[in-house]
Amino acid sequence: MSRQNYLFTSESVSEGHPDKVCDRISDTIVDAFLAAEPQARVAAETLATTNRIVIAGETRGPKSIDNALIEKLTREAIRDIGYEQDGFHWETARIEILLHEQSSDIAQGVDAATNKDEGAGDQGIMFGYACRETPELMPAPIYYAHKILRDLAAVRKSGKEPLLRPDAKSQVTVAYEDGKAVRAPQIVLSTQHADGLTSADVRRIVEPYITAALPAGWVDDKTVWHVNPTGKFVIGGPDGDAGLTGRKIIVDTYGGAAPHGGGAFSGKDPTKVDRSAAYAARWLAKNIVAAGLADRATIQLSYAIGVSDPLSIYVDLHDTGNVDPAKIEKVLGDRDFIRLSPRGIRERLGLNKPIYARTSAYGHFGRAAEADGGFSWEALDLVGALKSALA
C-alpha cells in the first residue's frame, strides 16, 4: 500500500528563466517550419548567455524559413517574454544561427516507403501520468507551482506589477494526509525584480498572488515562506545564468511525481517520439483516469528508430484501478482501437501544426485543449471508447 501521510515538493520556472528562454526560441522555430509545411522536420537547440544566442540543429523544410526570418522570430520571442535589460535585450542581443539539413541516414529511417510506414525518429521510452489530485488530473505540487508563476507573469506583463522582472522560480511543498493534498507547509519564490527592492518588499508584492493561486486553506500561519532567500535578484535571465534547450524536463512534465523517459520536448517536430509519444502517453493516462478506470495511471511506451509501432506498452494503475492493467495494455496495443505509431499519434492528436511555442513554459500537461489544436493531448475524447472496450 502506498504512503498516505507525507510531504512532496515540485518546482516550476518562469518563461524568463534562461532555459525556458531557449525552449521558447526552439519551439518558435518548430512552429515556423510547421506553419509553412506541416511535414517539415526540425531539431533545434538554443544556447543563451549574456546578450548572445546560438541556435543549432537540423531541419528539413521550405527555404522560406531562412536565417533572417529565424532571427526576426527569435527577437520577437525575447521581446514577448519581456527582456529589455542591458545584459540581455531583444533588440541588441547577438544571434548566431547554425541550422543545417537533417541527416539523410536519419531521414531514411523515419520516412515512409512503399514497404514501410513512417518510423520513430529515435529510440527511447516515454511516460504519461494522470491522477485525481486536481481537476486537470495533474499532481498538485507541479500544478500549483506552475499556476503561481503564470499568475505572476500575467500581472507583470499587464503592467499591474511593474517592479517584477521575467526570470522567476517557484517551489511548492504539499502535505498529504490520508492520501489527499491538504496544505502547503513550505513555499519558495525567487523572482527577478527592479533594483532597490528588499526581499520583504518582494514578498509584499507576490504573497497575495501566491495565496490566491493555491486552494483555500492551503496557506495558514504555519506556512513557511522563502521569498528571494538570497536577498537580491536584479541580474537575471541569460545575463545571470546561461540557458539551454531541454534542461527542465521534470518541470515540463509531472514535477517528479511520475517517471520521465529522459528526452526533452522543445525544439522537436512531432516525428520525434520524445515529444509526440510522451503527449500520447499523457492523453492515454488522463483518459483512463477520467473514465473512472483508476485514480492514478502511469503509461510507458517504447520505440526504436525507424520502427513504426511501439515495442512495448506498460500500464501501472498503482493499486487504484478496477480493471486489470494487462487488459488495458491489450486494448491499447490493438491497432483497430488506436494506432500508436508516430504517424497514428500525429494524425489522431493533430500534431503537425504550429502549436508548440505556447508549451515552452508552465508545463506541457494540465492545460486546457484549445480550439486550434493546442494541447490536444489534454482532450477527454477517448473516455467513451475506453469504457466500451473494457466493459
Side-chain angles (χ1 to χ4, degrees), residues 191-203:
T191 182
Q192 186 186 12
H193 56 82
D195 201 2
L197 298 184
T198 66
S199 293
D201 295 330
V202 175
R203 178 171 172 176

Side-chain angles (χ1 to χ4, degrees), residues 12 14-15 81 144-171 187-192 202-213 225 227-228 362:
S12 180
S14 73
E15 63 199 83
I81 292 168
Y144 291 112
H146 286 322
K147 191 173 190 306
I148 287 167
L149 293 184
R150 282 201 310 270
D151 291 353
L152 289 175
V155 295
R156 169 179 65 84
K157 289 177 141 182
S158 72
K160 186 175 180 181
E161 298 295 350
L163 300 180
L164 299 181
R165 298 292 183 262
D167 194 357
K169 301 177 76 172
S170 67
Q171 188 168 284
I187 295 171
V188 183
L189 189 285
S190 295
T191 182
Q192 186 186 12
V202 175
R203 178 171 172 176
R204 280 191 290 272
I205 294 171
V206 303
E207 185 172 339
Y209 298 106
I210 294 173
T211 301
W225 292 78
V227 176
N228 280 18
Y362 314 119

Side-chain angles (χ1 to χ4, degrees), residues 24-98:
R24 171 69 176 272
I25 292 168
S26 294
D27 274 338
T28 295
I29 294 168
V30 172
D31 281 355
F33 273 93
L34 293 180
E37 183 180 307
Q39 303 303 320
R41 303 283 169 79
V42 184
E45 311 287 352
T46 303
L47 161 71
T49 186
T50 301
N51 263 336
R52 182 75 183 272
I53 298 156
V54 179
I55 302 168
E58 303 79 47
T59 67
R60 190 176 77 187
K63 301 300 182 184
S64 59
I65 312 300
D66 58 14
N67 285 0
L69 178 59
I70 290 171
E71 179 176 337
K72 175 177 179 291
L73 294 173
T74 297
R75 295 191 188 281
E76 289 175 354
I78 298 168
R79 180 172 57 181
D80 182 66
I81 292 168
Y83 276 115
E84 295 185 335
Q85 59 194 43
D86 290 342
F88 196 72
H89 196 294
W90 66 269
E91 197 169 28
T92 59
R94 179 181 171 191
I95 300 173
E96 185 174 5
I97 300 170
L98 303 173

Side-chain angles (χ1 to χ4, degrees), residues 2-316:
S2 61
R3 294 179 64 190
Q4 298 297 296
N5 302 297
Y6 58 95
L7 302 178
F8 194 86
T9 303
S10 293
E11 71 156 342
S12 180
V13 297
S14 73
E15 63 199 83
H17 184 280
D19 297 330
K20 282 293 150 196
V21 171
C22 295
D23 285 346
R24 171 69 176 272
I25 292 168
S26 294
D27 274 338
T28 295
I29 294 168
V30 172
D31 281 355
F33 273 93
L34 293 180
E37 183 180 307
Q39 303 303 320
R41 303 283 169 79
V42 184
E45 311 287 352
T46 303
L47 161 71
T49 186
T50 301
N51 263 336
R52 182 75 183 272
I53 298 156
V54 179
I55 302 168
E58 303 79 47
T59 67
R60 190 176 77 187
K63 301 300 182 184
S64 59
I65 312 300
D66 58 14
N67 285 0
L69 178 59
I70 290 171
E71 179 176 337
K72 175 177 179 291
L73 294 173
T74 297
R75 295 191 188 281
E76 289 175 354
I78 298 168
R79 180 172 57 181
D80 182 66
I81 292 168
Y83 276 115
E84 295 185 335
Q85 59 194 43
D86 290 342
F88 196 72
H89 196 294
W90 66 269
E91 197 169 28
T92 59
R94 179 181 171 191
I95 300 173
E96 185 174 5
I97 300 170
L98 303 173
L99 296 168
H100 59 83
E101 287 291 316
Q102 182 188 52
S103 162
S104 59
D105 291 348
I106 293 176
Q108 71 178 355
V110 177
D111 291 345
T114 55
N115 61 343
K116 66 181 283 289
D117 193 2
E118 292 180 14
D122 201 352
Q123 72 175 48
I125 57 173
M126 297 83 206
F127 288 93
Y129 180 74
C131 63
R132 294 195 181 280
E133 293 179 18
T134 62
E136 295 75 15
L137 304 184
M138 285 288 287
I142 188 66
Y143 178 78
Y144 291 112
H146 286 322
K147 191 173 190 306
I148 287 167
L149 293 184
R150 282 201 310 270
D151 291 353
L152 289 175
V155 295
R156 169 179 65 84
K157 289 177 141 182
S158 72
K160 186 175 180 181
E161 298 295 350
L163 300 180
L164 299 181
R165 298 292 183 262
D167 194 357
K169 301 177 76 172
S170 67
Q171 188 168 284
V172 178
T173 298
V174 174
Y176 290 79
E177 297 177 4
D178 297 324
K180 305 292 185 183
V182 296
R183 59 183 295 269
Q186 302 270 352
I187 295 171
V188 183
L189 189 285
S190 295
T191 182
Q192 186 186 12
H193 56 82
D195 201 2
L197 298 184
T198 66
S199 293
D201 295 330
V202 175
R203 178 171 172 176
R204 280 191 290 272
I205 294 171
V206 303
E207 185 172 339
Y209 298 106
I210 294 173
T211 301
L214 297 174
W218 274 36
V219 176
D220 56 29
D221 57 2
K222 295 181 180 180
T223 298
V224 178
W225 292 78
H226 308 271
V227 176
N228 280 18
T230 63
K232 184 178 181 181
F233 189 0
V234 173
I235 300 171
D239 186 31
D241 189 12
L244 290 169
T245 299
R247 281 206 302 198
K248 288 292 178 284
I249 58 178
I250 299 302
V251 170
D252 287 341
T253 54
Y254 307 102
H260 190 290
F265 302 156
S266 291
K268 299 176 181 177
D269 74 77
T271 66
K272 281 73 171 175
V273 284
D274 279 342
R275 180 167 224 159
S276 56
Y279 290 173
R282 160 64 179 174
W283 175 59
L284 296 173
K286 186 177 182 182
N287 277 268
I288 286 168
V289 172
L293 303 176
D295 291 333
R296 296 170 59 202
T298 297
I299 307 290
Q300 186 204 57
L301 304 173
S302 71
Y303 292 85
I305 188 168
V307 179
S308 60
D309 289 326
L311 307 186
S312 64
I313 301 171
Y314 169 74
V315 176
D316 185 355

Side-chain angles (χ1 to χ4, degrees), residues 336-349:
D336 292 331
F337 181 78
I338 187 71
R339 286 298 309 275
L340 292 174
S341 65
R343 185 206 294 269
I345 292 169
R346 293 199 311 277
E347 291 179 350
R348 179 60 188 258
L349 297 181

